[in-house]
Amino acid sequence: MVSFEDSDFVLSIIKEAKIGLWKIETEEGKPQRLYANETVYKLLGVDGSKLTPEEYYTACFDKIEINDKAALRKAFIKMLNGHFTEAQFAFELSPKKTAYFKAAGFKNSSGKKVIRYEGVIRDITNIVKLQKKSEKQELQLHEYNNSEITFFGIAQALCHDFESVYYVNIQTGKYSEYIGHGSFKSFKFATKGNDFFEESVKNLPKAVYLGDQKRVIDFMTKENIMPSLLARKTISIRYRIVVNGTPLFYRLTAAPSVAQDGDHYIFGVQNIEENVKQEKEYAEKIRLATEMANSDGLTGLKNRLAYERAEERMNEEIAQGTISPFAIGVFDVNNLKKTNDKYGHEAGDILICEAAKLICNAFSHSPVFRIGGDEFAVILLGADFFDREKIMSKFRKTALHNRKNGKPVVSSGLDEFIFASDFKVSDVFDRADEKMYENKKKLKKK
């Protein structure tokens, strides 16, 4: 946490929210030291600017109700063990006036001798008073409690979600680090400076992944960031930082500060590696699900749904006049019903798979679809389209050869798109389907 001597910085952030900031240092064999900002002085009614940190700790702690002192000690034990903790206490503002406060904080660091705790404090006197009133005030109490939950949720998010938060005067470039912890702190960047943008670009090679450096440099300019900030909007960039030799994803977000003075803005650095992993896993699941939805479980070919989607896309291209030349091939497996009746459906499945291989081998450059039990369709594109007559002639010769030798026989029909008269893919399909049935009749007669 930034030093409380930087009162202008702290007050700019919290003046509208009326949130106080505190820091307590403990050292074995020495009195506890309490540091606070001007907001805390006003909340507690004890002016710490006229006292030493040791005196200020004693002056404030003495005014806390005795039962609440024990609760606060327990809270600090939890903080010492690494937990973000909150506690409520009564405070004697004067002999006839008691106020109630809630404080939240965490252990920011501990050295060989000094342990430092930091956090926030808020006046909750109104909430406590409402709790003591009748249930008629339940709705108002609920609203206050919601604001209380939001306040401490934000405080905890600031402490844990961001690895570094900077408070920047956009006009002068002067900045101070507000929160700094986690792997990002290992780079030991300055916590204060006079030109945030220049120093950020200067520090890039120390941390940012080489492939992302130019993109981050382009982002870190006033010309790029200011339009969004002046419109009271956030702007962010995702990039990689190399931590212990491993590139990890981070997000830098710039946002207007609470104090709308037009000069100060917040820049937060957040580790989003886990989020990116989840995004990739989700995208892979979507890809697999889409692939499964468009695939035939028996042959592994594209299924009828995939054909209908391809047909829809091509119909749009036909309507727009951007369609490329294509042809449709329709195929049907002969004697599938006889095979199923005589040898069982397993034999029929084998026959379908063998037929699928014949079609795929013949039309190796075009998508093949299984559109029914024994029906297949091919959309001939590119090389297969221009060689369609040669390929179809060879395929039909194979069908005749297989018929004589007791191998799988596949009837076939093919027709091409006519630019002058066809308005949809089904026009081509219907003609190819008719030719397939003509071919089926011939194969049965021979």
Side-chain angles (χ1 to χ4, degrees):
M1 182 178 290
V2 70
S3 169
F4 290 116
E5 282 73 18
D6 297 328
S7 58
D8 289 341
F9 156 63
V10 178
L11 286 175
S12 295
I13 299 178
I14 52 78
K15 72 176 183 179
E16 291 184 11
K18 295 181 181 178
I19 299 169
L21 302 176
W22 55 264
K23 175 171 66 178
I24 291 177
E25 292 180 349
T26 64
E27 188 173 355
E28 188 175 349
K30 293 184 179 181
Q32 284 90 342
R33 300 184 289 274
L34 172 60
Y35 303 88
N37 66 340
E38 189 175 337
T39 303
V40 176
Y41 299 164
K42 292 178 180 179
L43 289 174
L44 301 183
V46 181
D47 188 354
S49 65
K50 300 177 181 179
L51 302 171
T52 66
E54 291 83 0
E55 292 171 341
Y56 190 53
Y57 178 90
T58 301
C60 292
F61 201 72
D62 286 347
K63 291 179 175 289
I64 297 173
E65 195 171 282
I66 188 167
N67 291 334
D68 293 338
K69 290 180 180 179
L72 286 172
R73 290 191 180 97
K74 290 181 181 179
F76 277 102
I77 291 173
K78 289 183 180 180
M79 291 183 207
L80 186 61
N81 291 325
H83 300 289
F84 181 87
T85 309
E86 60 181 59
Q88 180 177 318
F89 61 90
F91 191 87
E92 184 184 292
L93 293 178
S94 67
K96 293 183 179 181
K97 187 176 181 181
T98 298
Y100 296 88
F101 297 92
K102 183 170 281 188
F106 66 111
K107 184 186 72 174
N108 190 9
S109 64
S110 59
K112 294 181 179 179
K113 295 182 179 181
V114 179
I115 300 175
R116 182 178 296 109
Y117 306 91
E118 296 180 358
V120 292
I121 184 172
R122 186 186 183 192
D123 188 340
I124 59 167
T125 303
N126 288 337
I127 299 173
V128 174
K129 286 181 178 179
L130 282 171
Q131 289 171 336
K132 294 179 179 180
K133 289 185 178 181
S134 66
E135 293 183 358
K136 292 181 181 179
Q137 307 296 327
E138 185 177 347
L139 180 60
Q140 189 177 0
L141 174 62
H142 179 70
E143 292 174 353
Y144 269 97
N145 283 336
N146 278 347
S147 68
E148 180 69 6
I149 291 168
T150 301
F151 160 69
F152 282 102
I154 292 171
Q156 189 167 8
L158 282 172
C159 291
H160 293 284
D161 284 357
F162 287 88
E163 296 203 359
S164 189
V165 174
Y166 295 92
Y167 190 65
V168 181
N169 185 314
I170 207 75
Q171 301 301 330
T172 66
K174 187 177 181 180
Y175 69 93
S176 295
E177 185 180 46
Y178 179 48
I179 293 172
H181 61 85
S183 57
F184 194 76
K185 194 173 183 180
S186 63
F187 294 106
K188 298 180 180 179
F189 294 143
T191 58
K192 295 180 183 180
N194 294 318
D195 194 325
F196 178 75
F197 292 98
E198 182 180 329
E199 292 177 34
S200 294
V201 172
K202 182 180 179 182
N203 287 326
L204 273 174
K206 299 178 185 177
V208 178
Y209 182 68
L210 182 61
D212 295 338
Q213 287 183 14
K214 184 181 183 304
R215 196 162 50 86
V216 179
I217 290 173
D218 293 340
F219 176 86
M220 288 297 294
T221 64
K222 289 184 181 180
E223 292 76 15
N224 178 58
I225 293 174
M226 282 305 296
S228 294
L229 297 183
L230 289 173
R232 308 298 295 173
K233 297 178 181 178
T234 61
I235 182 171
S236 63
I237 182 173
R238 187 165 79 174
Y239 59 100
R240 287 162 290 182
I241 288 178
V242 182
V243 180
N244 297 324
T246 303
L248 302 177
F249 279 95
Y250 280 74
R251 180 186 290 117
L252 171 66
T253 302
S257 69
V258 175
Q260 299 182 21
D261 59 9
D263 289 339
H264 292 89
Y265 296 89
I266 303 294
F267 287 75
V269 181
Q270 186 179 18
N271 186 323
I272 58 168
E273 178 68 18
E274 192 60 34
N275 304 64
V276 173
K277 286 181 180 178
Q278 291 176 0
E279 287 175 8
K280 289 180 179 178
E281 289 173 3
Y282 181 74
E284 179 63 13
K285 288 178 181 178
I286 293 296
R287 186 190 68 78
L288 291 173
T290 303
E291 190 175 281
M292 290 178 65
N294 288 279
S295 298
D296 173 55
L298 177 62
T299 63
L301 298 177
K302 297 177 184 296
N303 61 15
R304 186 174 188 85
L305 176 62
Y307 178 82
E308 289 173 353
R309 288 177 174 172
E311 183 181 20
E312 185 178 341
R313 289 194 300 271
M314 293 171 71
N315 282 337
E316 289 178 1
E317 292 177 1
I318 291 172
Q320 295 167 2
T322 58
I323 192 73
S324 298
F326 72 92
I328 299 291
V330 180
F331 305 85
D332 188 272
V333 183
N334 287 15
N335 302 318
L336 178 63
K337 187 177 185 305
K338 289 181 180 179
T339 301
N340 285 334
D341 293 343
K342 187 174 182 179
Y343 302 106
H345 286 281
E346 287 187 6
D349 288 347
I350 293 173
L351 179 59
I352 289 172
C353 290
E354 289 179 348
K357 289 180 182 177
L358 287 172
I359 299 168
C360 289
N361 289 337
F363 301 91
S364 58
H365 302 294
S366 299
V368 181
F369 306 82
R370 184 187 176 198
I371 58 175
D374 56 358
E375 274 191 286
F376 296 83
V378 178
I379 300 175
L380 281 74
L381 304 166
D384 283 355
F385 172 78
F386 294 108
D387 292 337
R388 60 189 180 280
E389 293 181 2
K390 180 180 177 182
I391 296 172
M392 182 56 76
S393 175
K394 183 178 179 181
F395 187 86
R396 288 186 168 178
K397 287 179 181 179
T398 300
L400 289 172
H401 176 79
N402 286 355
R403 183 179 180 278
K404 293 177 183 179
N405 293 281
K407 293 181 179 181
V409 177
V410 181
S411 302
S412 58
L414 181 74
D415 213 306
E416 63 270 11
F417 174 73
I418 302 173
F419 284 88
S421 57
D422 289 335
F423 297 98
K424 50 189 175 180
V425 175
S426 60
D427 295 336
V428 187
F429 181 95
D430 291 344
R431 292 197 301 272
D433 195 44
E434 289 178 8
K435 291 181 178 180
M436 184 275 294
Y437 278 107
E438 291 173 5
N439 181 242
K440 183 180 279 287
K441 290 177 183 177
K442 290 179 180 180
L443 286 170
K444 286 182 177 180
K445 290 179 181 178
K446 291 183 181 290

